[in-house]
Amino acid sequence: MTTLFALSANGYWTLSLVLAAVAAVVVAILLAVLVKTVTSIERSVDHLLEIAGQVAANTANIPQLEATAPVLGQIVDEAVIQDGYMNALTDGFDGR
C-alpha cells in the first residue's frame, strides 16, 4: 500500500492545527450569521407586537357594530335623501 503523504509527527500536528483553525473560522462565521439572523428575527417580532397592539385597538370597537344593524334602514333612507339633494344641486352643471 502506498501512502500519499509521509508526514512526521510535526507534520501531523501542523495539519491538525491548520484544520482546527479552518474549523474555528467556519464556526465563527456561522455564529456571526446566526447572531445577525436572530437580531433580524427579534426586530421583526418587535414590529409584529407593535402592529398587534394597533390591530387590537382597532378591533376593540367591533362589538359596538351590533348596534348599527337595527338602524341600517334609516341610514339608507337618509342616504337616498342626501343623494337627491346632491342631484338637485348638480343638475345642469356642465363643469365650467
Side-chain angles (χ1 to χ4, degrees):
M1 173 184 262
T2 59
T3 58
L4 296 176
F5 298 104
L7 295 176
S8 64
N10 286 341
Y12 284 119
W13 274 106
T14 303
L15 179 63
S16 64
L17 288 175
V18 168
L19 289 176
V22 168
V25 168
V26 169
V27 167
I29 290 170
L30 290 175
L31 283 174
V33 169
L34 178 65
V35 167
K36 182 178 177 182
T37 303
V38 167
T39 303
S40 172
I41 291 171
E42 187 175 13
R43 279 193 309 255
S44 296
V45 167
D46 289 341
H47 182 67
L48 284 174
L49 288 175
E50 178 184 328
I51 297 299
Q54 293 172 0
V55 169
N58 288 343
T59 59
N61 297 324
I62 287 179
Q64 295 175 356
L65 291 175
E66 292 176 356
T68 306
V71 294
L72 284 178
Q74 295 172 349
I75 293 171
V76 170
D77 292 341
E78 183 63 25
V80 169
I81 292 170
Q82 294 300 321
D83 185 51
Y85 290 152
M86 294 306 291
N87 286 338
L89 289 174
T90 59
D91 284 346
F93 181 72
D94 61 359
R96 290 185 200 167

